[in-house]
Coordinates of all heavy atoms in Angstrom, one line a residue:
D37 N -2.9 9.0 6.0 CA -2.5 10.4 5.7 C -1.0 10.4 5.7 O -0.4 11.1 4.8 CB -3.0 11.3 6.8 CG -4.5 11.5 6.7 OD1 -5.1 11.3 5.6 OD2 -5.1 11.9 7.7
L38 N -0.3 9.8 6.6 CA 1.2 9.8 6.7 C 1.8 9.2 5.5 O 2.7 9.7 4.9 CB 1.6 9.2 8.0 CG 3.2 9.0 8.1 CD1 3.8 10.3 8.2 CD2 3.5 8.1 9.3
L39 N 1.3 8.0 5.1 CA 1.8 7.3 4.0 C 1.7 8.1 2.7 O 2.6 8.2 1.9 CB 1.1 5.9 3.8 CG 1.5 4.9 4.9 CD1 0.6 3.6 4.7 CD2 2.9 4.5 4.9
I40 N 0.5 8.6 2.5 CA 0.2 9.4 1.3 C 1.1 10.6 1.2 O 1.8 10.9 0.2 CB -1.2 9.8 1.1 CG1 -2.1 8.6 0.9 CG2 -1.4 10.8 0.0 CD1 -3.6 8.8 0.9
D41 N 1.2 11.4 2.3 CA 2.0 12.6 2.3 C 3.5 12.4 2.2 O 4.2 13.1 1.5 CB 1.7 13.4 3.6 CG 0.3 13.9 3.6 OD1 -0.4 14.0 2.6 OD2 -0.2 14.3 4.7
K42 N 4.0 11.4 2.9 CA 5.4 11.2 3.0 C 6.0 10.2 2.0 O 7.2 10.3 1.6 CB 5.8 10.8 4.4 CG 7.3 10.8 4.7 CD 7.5 10.6 6.2 CE 9.0 10.7 6.5 NZ 9.3 10.6 8.0
Y43 N 5.3 9.1 1.7 CA 5.9 8.0 0.9 C 5.2 7.8 -0.5 O 5.9 7.3 -1.4 CB 5.8 6.7 1.7 CG 6.5 6.8 3.0 CD1 5.9 7.0 4.2 CD2 7.9 6.8 3.1 CE1 6.6 7.1 5.4 CE2 8.6 6.8 4.2 CZ 8.0 7.0 5.4 OH 8.6 7.1 6.6
F44 N 3.9 8.1 -0.6 CA 3.2 7.8 -1.9 C 3.0 9.1 -2.7 O 2.4 9.0 -3.8 CB 1.9 7.1 -1.6 CG 2.0 5.7 -1.2 CD1 2.2 5.3 0.1 CD2 1.8 4.7 -2.2 CE1 2.3 4.0 0.5 CE2 1.9 3.4 -1.8 CZ 2.1 3.0 -0.5
N45 N 3.4 10.2 -2.2 CA 3.2 11.5 -2.9 C 3.8 11.5 -4.3 O 4.9 11.2 -4.5 CB 3.8 12.6 -2.0 CG 3.3 14.0 -2.6 OD1 2.3 14.1 -3.2 ND2 4.1 15.0 -2.3
G46 N 2.9 11.8 -5.3 CA 3.4 11.8 -6.6 C 3.4 10.5 -7.3 O 3.9 10.4 -8.5
K47 N 3.0 9.4 -6.7 CA 3.1 8.1 -7.2 C 1.7 7.4 -7.6 O 1.7 6.2 -7.9 CB 3.8 7.2 -6.2 CG 5.3 7.5 -6.0 CD 5.9 6.6 -5.0 CE 7.5 6.8 -4.9 NZ 7.8 8.1 -4.4
A48 N 0.7 8.2 -7.6 CA -0.7 7.7 -7.8 C -1.1 7.6 -9.2 O -0.8 8.5 -10.0 CB -1.7 8.5 -7.0
A49 N -1.9 6.6 -9.6 CA -2.6 6.5 -10.8 C -3.9 7.3 -10.7 O -4.4 7.5 -9.6 CB -2.9 5.0 -11.2
I50 N -4.4 7.7 -11.9 CA -5.6 8.5 -11.9 C -6.7 7.7 -12.6 O -6.5 7.3 -13.7 CB -5.5 9.8 -12.6 CG1 -4.5 10.7 -11.9 CG2 -6.8 10.6 -12.7 CD1 -4.9 11.2 -10.5
F51 N -7.8 7.4 -11.9 CA -8.9 6.7 -12.5 C -10.1 7.7 -12.6 O -10.2 8.7 -11.9 CB -9.4 5.6 -11.5 CG -8.5 4.4 -11.6 CD1 -7.3 4.4 -11.1 CD2 -9.0 3.2 -12.2 CE1 -6.4 3.3 -11.2 CE2 -8.2 2.1 -12.3 CZ -6.9 2.1 -11.8
G52 N -10.9 7.5 -13.6 CA -12.0 8.4 -13.9 C -11.6 9.7 -14.6 O -12.2 10.7 -14.5
K53 N -10.5 9.6 -15.4 CA -10.1 10.7 -16.2 C -11.2 11.3 -17.1 O -11.9 10.5 -17.7 CB -8.9 10.3 -17.1 CG -8.3 11.4 -17.9 CD -7.2 10.8 -18.8 CE -6.6 11.9 -19.7 NZ -5.5 11.4 -20.6
G54 N -11.3 12.6 -17.1 CA -12.4 13.3 -17.9 C -13.7 13.3 -17.2 O -14.7 13.8 -17.8
Q55 N -13.8 12.7 -16.0 CA -15.1 12.7 -15.2 C -14.8 13.4 -13.9 O -14.5 12.7 -12.9 CB -15.5 11.3 -15.0 CG -15.7 10.5 -16.3 CD -16.1 9.1 -16.1 OE1 -17.2 8.8 -15.6 NE2 -15.2 8.2 -16.5
P56 N -14.9 14.7 -13.8 CA -14.6 15.4 -12.6 C -15.3 15.0 -11.3 O -14.7 15.0 -10.2 CB -15.0 16.9 -12.9 CG -15.0 16.9 -14.4 CD -15.4 15.6 -14.9
E57 N -16.5 14.4 -11.5 CA -17.2 14.0 -10.3 C -16.8 12.6 -9.8 O -17.3 12.2 -8.8 CB -18.7 14.0 -10.6 CG -19.3 12.9 -11.4 CD -18.9 13.0 -12.9 OE1 -18.3 14.0 -13.3 OE2 -19.3 12.1 -13.7
K58 N -15.9 11.9 -10.6 CA -15.5 10.6 -10.2 C -14.0 10.4 -10.2 O -13.5 9.4 -9.7 CB -16.1 9.6 -11.2 CG -17.7 9.5 -11.1 CD -18.2 8.5 -12.1 CE -19.7 8.5 -12.0 NZ -20.3 7.5 -12.9
K59 N -13.2 11.3 -10.7 CA -11.8 11.2 -10.8 C -11.1 11.0 -9.4 O -11.4 11.8 -8.5 CB -11.2 12.5 -11.5 CG -9.8 12.4 -11.9 CD -9.5 13.7 -12.7 CE -8.0 13.7 -13.1 NZ -7.7 15.0 -13.8
Q60 N -10.3 10.0 -9.3 CA -9.7 9.7 -8.0 C -8.3 9.0 -8.1 O -8.1 8.3 -9.1 CB -10.7 8.8 -7.2 CG -10.4 8.6 -5.7 CD -11.5 7.9 -5.0 OE1 -12.4 7.3 -5.7 NE2 -11.5 7.9 -3.7
K61 N -7.5 9.2 -7.1 CA -6.1 8.7 -7.1 C -6.1 7.2 -6.5 O -6.8 7.0 -5.6 CB -5.2 9.5 -6.3 CG -4.8 10.8 -7.0 CD -3.9 11.7 -6.1 CE -3.5 13.0 -6.8 NZ -2.7 13.9 -5.9
N62 N -5.3 6.4 -7.1 CA -5.1 5.0 -6.6 C -3.7 4.8 -6.4 O -2.8 5.1 -7.2 CB -5.7 4.0 -7.7 CG -5.4 2.6 -7.3 OD1 -4.4 2.0 -7.8 ND2 -6.2 2.0 -6.5
F63 N -3.3 4.2 -5.2 CA -2.0 4.0 -4.8 C -1.7 2.4 -4.8 O -2.5 1.7 -4.2 CB -1.7 4.6 -3.4 CG -2.0 6.0 -3.4 CD1 -3.2 6.5 -3.0 CD2 -1.0 7.0 -3.7 CE1 -3.5 7.9 -2.9 CE2 -1.2 8.3 -3.6 CZ -2.5 8.8 -3.2
Q64 N -0.6 2.0 -5.3 CA -0.2 0.6 -5.3 C 1.0 0.3 -4.5 O 1.9 1.2 -4.4 CB 0.1 0.2 -6.8 CG -1.1 0.3 -7.7 CD -2.0 -0.9 -7.7 OE1 -1.6 -2.0 -7.3 NE2 -3.2 -0.8 -8.1
Y65 N 1.1 -0.8 -3.8 CA 2.2 -1.2 -3.1 C 2.5 -2.7 -3.0 O 1.5 -3.5 -3.2 CB 2.2 -0.6 -1.6 CG 1.1 -1.2 -0.8 CD1 1.3 -2.3 0.1 CD2 -0.2 -0.5 -0.7 CE1 0.3 -2.7 0.9 CE2 -1.2 -1.0 0.1 CZ -1.0 -2.1 0.9 OH -2.0 -2.6 1.7
V66 N 3.7 -3.1 -2.8 CA 4.1 -4.4 -2.5 C 4.4 -4.5 -1.0 O 4.9 -3.5 -0.4 CB 5.4 -4.8 -3.3 CG1 5.8 -6.2 -2.9 CG2 5.1 -4.8 -4.8
F67 N 4.0 -5.6 -0.4 CA 4.2 -5.7 1.0 C 4.8 -7.1 1.4 O 4.6 -8.1 0.7 CB 3.0 -5.4 1.8 CG 1.9 -6.5 1.7 CD1 1.9 -7.6 2.5 CD2 0.9 -6.4 0.8 CE1 0.9 -8.6 2.4 CE2 -0.1 -7.4 0.6 CZ -0.1 -8.5 1.4
V68 N 5.5 -7.1 2.5 CA 6.0 -8.3 3.1 C 5.6 -8.3 4.6 O 6.0 -7.3 5.3 CB 7.5 -8.5 3.0 CG1 8.0 -9.7 3.7 CG2 8.0 -8.5 1.5
S69 N 4.8 -9.2 5.0 CA 4.4 -9.3 6.4 C 5.2 -10.4 7.2 O 5.6 -11.4 6.6 CB 2.9 -9.5 6.6 OG 2.5 -10.7 6.0
I70 N 5.4 -10.1 8.4 CA 6.3 -11.0 9.2 C 5.6 -11.5 10.4 O 5.0 -10.8 11.2 CB 7.6 -10.3 9.6 CG1 8.4 -9.8 8.4 CG2 8.5 -11.1 10.6 CD1 9.5 -8.9 8.7
Y71 N 5.6 -12.9 10.6 CA 5.0 -13.5 11.7 C 6.1 -13.7 12.8 O 7.2 -14.0 12.5 CB 4.5 -14.9 11.3 CG 4.2 -15.8 12.5 CD1 2.9 -15.9 12.9 CD2 5.2 -16.6 13.1 CE1 2.6 -16.8 14.0 CE2 4.9 -17.4 14.1 CZ 3.6 -17.5 14.6 OH 3.3 -18.3 15.7
E72 N 5.7 -13.5 14.0 CA 6.6 -13.6 15.1 C 6.0 -14.1 16.4 O 4.9 -13.6 16.8 CB 7.3 -12.2 15.4 CG 8.4 -12.3 16.5 CD 8.9 -10.9 16.8 OE1 8.2 -9.9 16.5 OE2 10.0 -10.8 17.2
D73 N 6.6 -15.1 17.0 CA 6.1 -15.5 18.3 C 7.4 -15.6 19.2 O 8.4 -15.1 18.9 CB 5.4 -16.9 18.3 CG 6.2 -18.0 17.8 OD1 7.5 -18.0 17.9 OD2 5.6 -19.0 17.3
S74 N 7.3 -16.2 20.4 CA 8.4 -16.2 21.4 C 9.6 -17.0 20.9 O 10.7 -16.8 21.4 CB 7.9 -16.7 22.7 OG 7.4 -18.1 22.6
E75 N 9.4 -17.9 19.9 CA 10.5 -18.7 19.5 C 10.9 -18.5 18.0 O 12.1 -18.6 17.7 CB 10.0 -20.2 19.6 CG 9.7 -20.7 21.0 CD 9.3 -22.2 21.0 OE1 9.9 -22.9 20.2 OE2 8.4 -22.5 21.8
Y76 N 10.0 -18.1 17.1 CA 10.3 -18.1 15.7 C 9.8 -16.8 15.1 O 9.0 -16.1 15.6 CB 9.6 -19.2 15.0 CG 10.0 -20.6 15.5 CD1 9.0 -21.3 16.3 CD2 11.2 -21.2 15.3 CE1 9.3 -22.6 16.8 CE2 11.5 -22.5 15.7 CZ 10.6 -23.1 16.5 OH 10.8 -24.4 17.0
A77 N 10.5 -16.5 13.9 CA 9.9 -15.5 13.1 C 10.0 -16.0 11.7 O 10.8 -16.8 11.3 CB 10.8 -14.2 13.1
Y78 N 8.9 -15.7 10.9 CA 8.8 -16.1 9.5 C 8.4 -14.9 8.7 O 7.7 -14.0 9.2 CB 7.8 -17.2 9.3 CG 8.0 -18.5 10.1 CD1 7.2 -18.8 11.1 CD2 9.1 -19.3 9.8 CE1 7.3 -20.0 11.8 CE2 9.3 -20.5 10.5 CZ 8.4 -20.9 11.5 OH 8.5 -22.0 12.2
I79 N 8.6 -15.0 7.4 CA 7.9 -14.1 6.4 C 6.6 -14.8 6.2 O 6.5 -15.9 5.8 CB 8.7 -13.9 5.1 CG1 9.9 -13.0 5.4 CG2 7.8 -13.3 4.1 CD1 10.8 -12.8 4.2
A80 N 5.5 -14.1 6.5 CA 4.2 -14.7 6.4 C 3.7 -14.6 4.9 O 3.3 -15.6 4.3 CB 3.2 -14.0 7.3
V81 N 3.7 -13.4 4.4 CA 3.2 -13.2 3.1 C 4.0 -12.2 2.3 O 4.5 -11.2 2.9 CB 1.7 -12.6 3.1 CG1 1.2 -12.4 1.7 CG2 0.8 -13.5 3.9
V82 N 4.3 -12.5 1.0 CA 4.8 -11.5 0.1 C 3.6 -11.2 -0.9 O 3.2 -12.1 -1.6 CB 6.0 -12.0 -0.7 CG1 6.5 -10.9 -1.7 CG2 7.1 -12.4 0.2
G83 N 3.1 -10.0 -0.9 CA 1.9 -9.7 -1.6 C 1.9 -8.3 -2.2 O 2.9 -7.6 -2.1
K84 N 0.8 -8.0 -2.8 CA 0.6 -6.6 -3.3 C -0.8 -6.2 -3.0 O -1.7 -7.0 -2.9 CB 0.9 -6.4 -4.8 CG 0.1 -7.2 -5.8 CD -1.3 -6.6 -6.1 CE -1.2 -5.2 -6.7 NZ -2.6 -4.7 -6.9

């Protein structure tokens, strides 16, 4: 809810155009996850 309201608002694609019973928003993002232990940190994944 927070992400949609604050960061993704107005950025969604629409699927099911012309089909009121199926029309729905889709949100896309790129992400970078970070691994961390007591000694090291790494970028684990760059993905979407």
Side-chain angles (χ1 to χ4, degrees):
D37 289 336
L38 174 67
L39 290 173
I40 290 174
D41 292 344
K42 191 170 181 179
Y43 299 102
F44 285 84
N45 190 24
K47 294 180 169 66
I50 298 291
F51 283 70
K53 181 182 177 183
Q55 304 177 65
E57 75 285 0
K58 296 180 178 179
K59 192 175 176 183
Q60 193 169 13
K61 289 178 180 175
N62 174 261
F63 303 91
Q64 296 278 336
Y65 64 91
V66 175
F67 69 87
V68 176
S69 60
I70 298 171
Y71 167 93
E72 183 183 25
D73 62 25
S74 58
E75 296 181 40
Y76 304 105
Y78 301 113
I79 289 177
V81 182
V82 181
K84 63 82 58 184

